[in-house]
Amino acid sequence: MLIFGPITPGQVSFLLGIIPVFAAWIYAEFLEYKKNSVANKTRLSDVNLVELGNEVVKDEDRAVLLEGGGLQTASPKARASSPSSSIVRFILMDETFLLENRLTLRAISEFGFLLTYYYLCDRTDFFASSKKEYNRDLFLFLYFLFIIVSAMTSFKVHHEKSPLTGKSILYLNRHQTEEWKGWMQVLFLMYHYFAAKEIYNAIRVFIAAYVWMTGFGNFSYYYVRKDFSLARFAQMMWRLNFLVFVCCLVLNNSYMLYYICPMHTLFTLMVYGALGIFNKYNEHGSVIAIKIVCCFLVVILLWEIPGVFELFWSPLTFLLGYTDPASKTPSSLLREWHFRSGLDRYIWIIGMIYAYYHPTVESWMEKLEEADVKRRISIKAAIILISSTMGYLWFEYIYRLDKLTYNKYHPYTSWIPITVYICLRNVTQQLRSCSLTLLAWLGKITLETYISQIHIWLRSAVPDGQPKLLLSLIPNYPLLNFLLTTAIYIAISYRLFQLTNTLKIAFVPSKDDKRLGYNVIMAAAISCILYSLSFVFLSVSGMMHITV
């Protein structure tokens, strides 16, 4: 089996970390099996004793029953144990500790196994590759077939009430936004798989819509919940970056290869900062207005004034720098970051504005639904007419521009199709209250499907390479291969979504900042130790190779 690319310290440290965890998990499963076996035998014996003479169970037997029972809840002492004592107990393979943390060990092991599959698919020749081919007829057929099947099998009407008014308004509800992300993600992924370059401009709008939702969702959360705690911040960063961080480590890729992750991280941080600073004054509309104006000024300063962007981000070049190995023309390491983040530099602020006025619009919609029929129909007809006209003009004079020209207008016009979609999608109560749950389900795992596609659906075969090839599990049968790889890819993406949340609960406590700090320190210490050991192993291996 041929391995593409060198073995790196990050990859070795990953193996050094995952192998003992895997061994501990196997041992914990054995202990659990042994424990359950004892419990079953004890219960059987107890039943026989009752049938014979209803004898009283002795204290010693009660102890055996407790020890042989199912998985017990960790004691307060175990839950309060420090991370350092947990590490010691792990190294000593303490049986009680392994049983208490068996599910966490299983999650880590499974996560490691799936990342190993990433490596096998994208960094070795174990599986074959094939070239991308675009056929418009097939592309549209597959997409619309998927939408029709979704509509026939997962159409659902929701009856939730608005938390603001108690009535069934559901303007921009969670089901709707998840569905929105879902149908966009399917087109986004198909665009990459089939190299459908002719819908490039549409993909730019979809990415802008994702960033818009970042502004809208985060503003709504912080403005309503007022939760600026360290735990909430850490959980948010974990969700956005844990999987991509491990991918960078295992596959020796740059963070910017997965540009969606740093983009969403940046704009999430900017929303967090905007509302977090002087947050006790957020109830005042004038303060929110000043904050939004400041956001616009920051964006103008960073992206519109030449030279400022490079000067500001240059200290983080090690994190945000990227060079495509296939590129033949040298360019700045920050060029990709400048281009990607600059395309959607304003739309997150538009999302914040829409979130701020969300209660006002919902209240207005409530009054509209209570108006007389003639007035209601005329207003809704006007909304449809104005929205359709705006959408048509944008499509005719902006969307149809060539790729390079469109990119120049995109930062200033992407709000138009987003607003048109929101207006048309919410124009009636019937449209607002229904969704396709299959698309909404896919919308929940967009981060995992975005990252996974690069390695187990497509492939690049080189570190930092763009995925210009397809993974081929069934050579010479492109449609069957598409079916099989897609099924595996979606299943793995969903499982990674679950595992990321499981590990977040285990390592990022929601109400214990002290323990969170300990976990961060211990994670940094363990990472340093593993990295140091990996350097030693690679150095020794290199010396032995030279000697031979």
Side-chain angles (χ1 to χ4, degrees):
M1 182 175 67
L2 179 64
I3 296 177
F4 304 119
I7 303 299
T8 67
Q11 293 164 348
V12 175
S13 60
F14 172 78
L15 284 176
L16 291 176
I18 204 67
I19 290 174
V21 171
F22 181 78
W25 168 58
I26 295 297
Y27 185 44
E29 293 290 352
F30 170 74
L31 293 174
E32 180 67 13
Y33 171 77
K34 182 179 176 182
K35 188 177 183 180
N36 291 334
S37 297
V38 172
N40 290 334
K41 291 178 181 178
T42 307
R43 289 192 197 100
L44 206 59
S45 174
D46 188 49
V47 169
N48 292 332
L49 287 172
V50 170
E51 290 178 350
L52 286 172
N54 292 322
E55 297 180 10
V56 179
V57 180
K58 298 180 181 179
D59 290 342
E60 296 90 325
D61 296 328
R62 292 184 183 276
V64 171
L65 283 170
L66 284 173
E67 291 173 4
L71 182 63
Q72 303 294 317
T73 303
S75 65
K77 183 178 179 180
R79 288 196 297 269
S81 60
S82 67
S84 56
S85 65
S86 297
I87 295 297
V88 172
R89 294 175 70 191
F90 172 79
I91 294 173
L92 297 176
M93 298 293 275
D94 181 86
E95 294 186 0
T96 304
F97 173 82
L98 295 180
L99 284 171
E100 289 173 353
N101 296 277
R102 178 176 59 88
L103 298 180
T104 301
L105 293 171
R106 177 194 293 176
I108 298 173
S109 300
E110 191 175 348
F111 193 90
F113 173 77
L114 294 178
L115 267 292
T116 303
Y117 179 71
Y118 271 39
Y119 186 89
L120 187 68
C121 290
D122 198 33
R123 288 293 183 273
T124 72
D125 64 349
F126 189 82
F127 298 114
S129 300
S130 59
K131 294 182 179 180
K132 298 180 181 181
E133 293 183 6
Y134 177 61
N135 180 294
R136 183 188 295 173
D137 182 46
L138 177 63
F139 182 90
L140 294 175
F141 168 77
L142 290 174
Y143 183 70
F144 286 118
L145 176 64
F146 175 74
I147 296 298
I148 292 170
V149 170
S150 299
M152 293 175 65
T153 60
S154 67
F155 178 83
K156 184 177 181 180
V157 178
H158 305 279
H159 301 286
E160 289 93 336
K161 306 293 184 180
S162 168
L164 298 172
T165 64
K167 297 186 177 182
S168 300
I169 301 300
L170 299 173
Y171 165 61
L172 276 176
N173 58 80
R174 185 63 177 267
H175 306 292
Q176 186 186 130
T177 54
E178 296 288 9
E179 177 203 73
W180 185 4
K181 289 194 291 184
W183 69 256
M184 288 193 303
Q185 185 72 353
V186 172
L187 269 176
F188 179 74
L189 296 171
M190 291 178 66
Y191 161 78
H192 283 151
Y193 192 91
F194 293 102
K197 297 179 181 179
E198 65 178 356
I199 65 167
Y200 171 86
N201 292 354
I203 300 303
R204 294 271 67 81
V205 175
F206 296 165
I207 295 174
Y210 290 132
V211 176
W212 179 91
M213 288 185 217
T214 295
F216 180 87
N218 282 292
F219 184 97
S220 298
Y221 178 87
Y222 292 121
Y223 187 73
V224 175
R225 299 286 184 88
K226 302 176 178 61
D227 179 11
F228 299 94
S229 64
L230 177 62
R232 165 65 185 176
F233 177 81
Q235 290 176 342
M236 178 175 58
M237 290 297 103
W238 179 284
R239 177 73 185 95
L240 288 172
N241 292 290
F242 176 68
L243 176 57
V244 71
F245 171 78
V246 181
C247 283
C248 290
L249 192 72
V250 172
L251 297 156
N252 191 28
N253 284 331
S254 298
Y255 186 39
M256 266 308 297
L257 179 68
Y258 315 89
Y259 66 90
I260 293 291
C261 298
M263 271 180 54
H264 282 285
T265 300
L266 169 65
F267 297 129
T268 297
L269 288 173
M270 294 181 84
V271 176
Y272 181 83
L275 289 183
I277 298 173
F278 303 116
N279 60 80
K280 63 181 179 180
Y281 301 108
N282 285 344
E283 296 297 327
H284 303 286
S286 57
V287 173
I288 294 296
I290 292 171
K291 289 186 174 186
I292 288 175
V293 169
C294 288
C295 288
F296 275 112
L297 292 176
V298 168
V299 170
I300 291 170
L301 176 66
L302 282 177
W303 277 276
E304 304 290 358
I305 301 177
V308 175
F309 184 91
E310 288 76 10
L311 181 65
F312 181 83
W313 291 108
S314 57
L316 293 176
T317 301
F318 72 95
L319 180 64
L320 299 171
Y322 174 77
T323 299
D324 186 349
S327 177
K328 297 180 181 179
T329 56
S331 60
S332 169
L333 291 175
L334 292 173
R335 180 183 177 279
E336 185 76 2
W337 176 231
H338 192 183
F339 171 70
R340 297 294 183 182
S341 62
L343 283 172
D344 300 307
R345 57 187 179 268
Y346 291 111
I347 197 64
W348 64 280
I349 309 177
I350 304 299
M352 290 173 63
I353 296 172
Y354 283 29
Y356 180 73
Y357 284 104
H358 181 273
T360 303
V361 174
E362 192 166 81
S363 176
W364 178 83
M365 294 175 75
E366 178 188 338
K367 293 178 182 177
L368 178 60
E369 293 298 331
E370 295 173 349
D372 61 88
V373 176
K374 185 177 179 180
R375 178 180 175 82
R376 185 166 70 245
I377 292 176
S378 61
I379 291 176
K380 291 183 178 182
I383 292 173
I384 294 173
L385 179 62
I386 294 172
S387 299
S388 301
T389 303
M390 284 181 60
Y392 171 77
L393 293 174
W394 170 83
F395 177 82
E396 191 67 27
Y397 295 103
I398 302 295
Y399 179 81
R400 298 181 67 178
L401 294 171
D402 65 272
K403 171 181 175 179
L404 296 178
T405 306
Y406 174 81
N407 283 341
K408 296 177 182 178
Y409 289 98
H410 175 81
Y412 314 102
T413 61
S414 61
W415 65 272
I416 298 174
I418 292 172
T419 304
V420 168
Y421 176 80
I422 292 172
C423 291
L424 296 179
R425 182 67 175 83
N426 292 274
V427 73
T428 69
Q429 180 62 39
Q430 290 74 19
L431 281 173
R432 291 193 293 271
S433 61
C434 66
S435 71
L436 304 183
T437 56
L438 177 57
L439 294 178
W441 178 79
L442 287 171
K444 293 178 181 178
I445 58 172
T446 51
L447 180 65
E448 287 74 22
T449 52
Y450 167 72
I451 295 171
S452 297
Q453 60 156 336
I454 300 175
H455 306 298
I456 60 173
W457 203 43
L458 315 174
R459 66 184 306 188
S460 60
V462 292
D464 279 344
Q466 295 295 322
K468 297 180 179 179
L469 300 171
L470 304 177
L471 179 66
S472 181
L473 301 181
I474 310 178
N476 303 320
Y477 289 89
L479 293 180
L480 287 177
N481 183 70
F482 173 73
L483 178 65
L484 179 59
T485 55
T486 301
I488 296 172
Y489 154 63
I490 295 298
I492 289 178
S493 297
Y494 179 63
R495 188 57 187 150
L496 285 170
F497 166 76
Q498 293 178 311
L499 292 172
T500 300
N501 285 328
T502 299
L503 295 176
K504 179 184 72 176
I505 294 170
F507 295 113
V508 189
S510 58
K511 295 180 180 179
D512 191 346
D513 288 350
K514 185 177 180 181
R515 186 171 183 83
L516 175 61
Y518 282 147
N519 288 348
V520 171
I521 293 171
M522 289 305 300
I526 293 170
S527 298
C528 290
I529 292 171
L530 292 177
Y531 237 77
S532 300
L533 289 174
S534 67
F535 273 111
V536 172
F537 282 132
L538 287 176
S539 300
V540 171
S541 176
M543 291 172 61
M544 292 176 63
H545 180 73
I546 293 173
T547 304
V548 174

